C-alpha cells in the first residue's frame, strides 16, 4: 500500500519501503478498523486499533516516546506514556467524542487478558487518540459503541485499508478528504535490516497549502473552496511511528519530535487550533511488567548513528500523510458538506485540462 508507483504525481523516495509499505512491515505490528457509515444519518466515523506486538502488552510493554507538537487535543494516556516511556495497551484512534467510550472498551479488553490488573498490581494506562471528524460526521450523535471498539481490536492483521476507513472515515486534511495513511522504510544497521513504519490519522492543515515532493498542489478544479468552514491550519493529526530497532524512550521521543519535519514538508505550519501528536514505539525493546531483578538490560542505538533512523522516519511519515489523502475518496456528510479526495481531484483537473477548461 502506501503510494503506488503509478500514482498521478511524483514522490521520490530516498529509502526503500518494506514489502507492504505499511506500518505492519514492522514484525509483530497489526492494525484493524471498524468503519461506521450511514449517509442517511450523516454517520462517517469509526475506530482504528494498532497492536505494537502480538503478545500480552501489559506484561511485555514496548518502549515509547511521545511528542506533543501542538497540544490542541483530547487524547487519553499520553501523560503516563511520556512519563514512564512505555506503551502497555493497543493504541486506539477515533473521533473526539468517542475517547471515553474507547477508554472504557479498551480497559475491559485489557482486564479480560490480565486478571491481576487492579487486584494484585496497578491499574492500566489505556492509550486512546482522537481527531475531530465533526465537519463530515454527526459527531454529536456519539455513534461509536464499545462493541465497535472491540471489533476493531479483534480484527487486526498485517493487511489493512487506508483512506476513509476506521477512525479516518470522516476526517479532512488540507481541504481534501483525509483519513488513515501508512508507509514503511527499511534501515540497515550493523548489517542487520530493520523496519520503521508510520501510521497517521490526518485531519489537519489549510486548503491550498498541500505540497507533494516540494510542489504545491493546486485545488483549482471548477468547484467551490473545498475547505469550506474548515479554512485555516486547524484540525489534528495523530502520528504513530513503530520500529523493531532496539531503542530507549528518550531516543523514541527524539524520533517522535522529528514528525514535525514531515508536517512541514507537506505544507502544515501546525496552527494554534491543531492537535498534532506523535507517538513512537519500539517492539525491539520490551519492558517486563514483572522484572526478574532490579535491573533491566537495554540495547540502544548509538547517538552517532541515530540520524540513520531519523531521516527514514521523517520520510515514512511524510508518505503516510500523502497516502491518507490519496486513498480517501470524495465524501459527502452532514450540513451538505462535500470534500473531494486527492485522487478524484487530480483526475478531474486532468480531465478539465484536456478539455481546455483550465
Amino acid at each position: 500500500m502506501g503510494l503506488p508507483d503509478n500514482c498521478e504525481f511524483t514522490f521520490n523516495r530516498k529509502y526503500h519501503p518494506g514489502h507492504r509499505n505499511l506500518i505492519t512491515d514492522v514484525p509483530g505490528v497489526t492494525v484493524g478498523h471498524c468503519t461506521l457509515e450511514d449517509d442517511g444519518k450523516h454517520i462517517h466515523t469509526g475506530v482504528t486499533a494498532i497492536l505494537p506486538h502480538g503478545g500480552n502488552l501489559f506484561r511485555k510493554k514496548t518502549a515509547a516516546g511521545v511528542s506533543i507538537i501542538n497540544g490542541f487535543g483530547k487524547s487519553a494516556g499520553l501523560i503516563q506514556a511520556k512519563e514512564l516511556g512505555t506503551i502497555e495497551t493497543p493504541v486506539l484512534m477515533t473521533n473526539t467524542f468517542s475517547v471515553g467510550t474507547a477508554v472504557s472498551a479498551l480497559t475491559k479488553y485489557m482486564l479480560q487478558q490480565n486478571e491481576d490488573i487492579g487486584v494484585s498490581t496497578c491499574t492500566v494506562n489505556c492509550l486512546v487518540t482522537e481527531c475531530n471528524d465533526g465537519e463530515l460526521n454527526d459527531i454529536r450523535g456519539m455513534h461509536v459503541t464499545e462493541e465497535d471498539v472491540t471489533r476493531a481490536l479483534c480484527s487486526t492483521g498485517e493487511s489493512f485499508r487506508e483512506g476513509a476507513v476506521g477512525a479516518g472515515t470522516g476526517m479532512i486534511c488540507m481541504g481534501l478528504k483525509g483519513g488513515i495513511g501508512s508507509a514503511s522504510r527499511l534501515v540497515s544497521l550493523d548489517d542487520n535490516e530493520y523496519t520503521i513504519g508510520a501510521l497517521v490519522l490526518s485531519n489537519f492543515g489549510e486548503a491550498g497549502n498541500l505540497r507533494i515532493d516540494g510542489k504545491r498542489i493546486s485545488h483549482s478544479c471548477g468547484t467551490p473552496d473545498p475547505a469550506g468552514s474548515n479554512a485555516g491550519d486547524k484540525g489534528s493529526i495523530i502520528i504513530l511511528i513503530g520500529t523493531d530497532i532496539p531503542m530507549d524512550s528518550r531516543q523514541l521521543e527524539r524520533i517522535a519530535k522529528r514528525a514535525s519535519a514531515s508536517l512541514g514538508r507537506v505544507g502544515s505550519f501546525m496552527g494554534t487550533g491543531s492537535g498534532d501528536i506523535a507517538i513512537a514505539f519500539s517492539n525491539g525493546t520490551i519492558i517486563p511488567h514483572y522484572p526478574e531483578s532490579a535491573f533491566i538490560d537495554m540495547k540502544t542505538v548509538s547517538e552517532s548513528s541515530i540520524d540513520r533512523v531519523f531521516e527514514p522516519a521523517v520520510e515514512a511519515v511524510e508518505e503516510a500523510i500523502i497516502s491518507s489523502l490519496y486513498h480517501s475518496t470524495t465524501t459527502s456528510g452532514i450540513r451538505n458538506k462535500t470534500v473531494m479526495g486527492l485522487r478524484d481531484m487530480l483526475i478531474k483537473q486532468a480531465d478539465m485540462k484536456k478539455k481546455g477548461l483550465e
Side-chain angles (χ1 to χ4, degrees), residues 158-214:
E158 294 177 343
S159 297
F160 61 93
R161 288 176 54 203
E162 297 174 82
V165 64
T169 305
M171 302 300 172
I172 301 172
C173 182
M174 312 294 281
L176 296 165
K177 184 67 190 73
I180 297 292
S182 190
S184 68
R185 293 296 183 268
L186 300 177
V187 178
S188 180
L189 297 169
D190 288 348
D191 298 323
N192 293 315
E193 187 175 81
Y194 298 95
T195 305
I196 301 169
L199 185 144
V200 304
L201 175 61
S202 67
N203 191 55
F204 70 95
E206 185 170 359
N209 278 6
L210 176 63
R211 288 171 173 79
I212 299 177
D213 224 28

Side-chain angles (χ1 to χ4, degrees), residues 68-135:
I68 310 300
I69 301 168
N70 194 67
F72 196 88
K74 291 82 180 172
S75 297
L78 295 176
I79 293 175
Q80 182 173 312
K82 187 175 179 67
E83 179 71 18
L84 300 186
T86 60
I87 291 175
E88 61 185 22
T89 72
V91 180
L92 294 182
M93 297 177 172
T94 188
N95 75 59
T96 309
F97 286 174
S98 298
V99 170
T101 299
V103 169
S104 180
L106 184 53
T107 300
K108 292 174 183 177
Y109 173 87
M110 296 302 296
L111 293 179
Q112 288 178 348
Q113 296 183 0
N114 301 274
E115 295 181 353
D116 50 340
I117 290 177
V119 179
S120 58
T121 190
C122 59
T123 56
V124 62
N125 184 53
C126 293
L127 192 49
V128 179
T129 62
E130 56 79 32
C131 292
N132 182 353
D133 58 15
E135 289 286 324

Side-chain angles (χ1 to χ4, degrees), residues 237-257:
I237 182 169
I238 303 299
I239 300 166
L240 188 63
I241 303 168
T243 187
D244 57 345
I245 301 170
M247 307 182 82
D248 61 25
S249 61
R250 181 188 59 83
Q251 292 180 323
L252 290 162
E253 182 175 347
R254 297 188 73 202
I255 289 176
K257 288 179 180 178

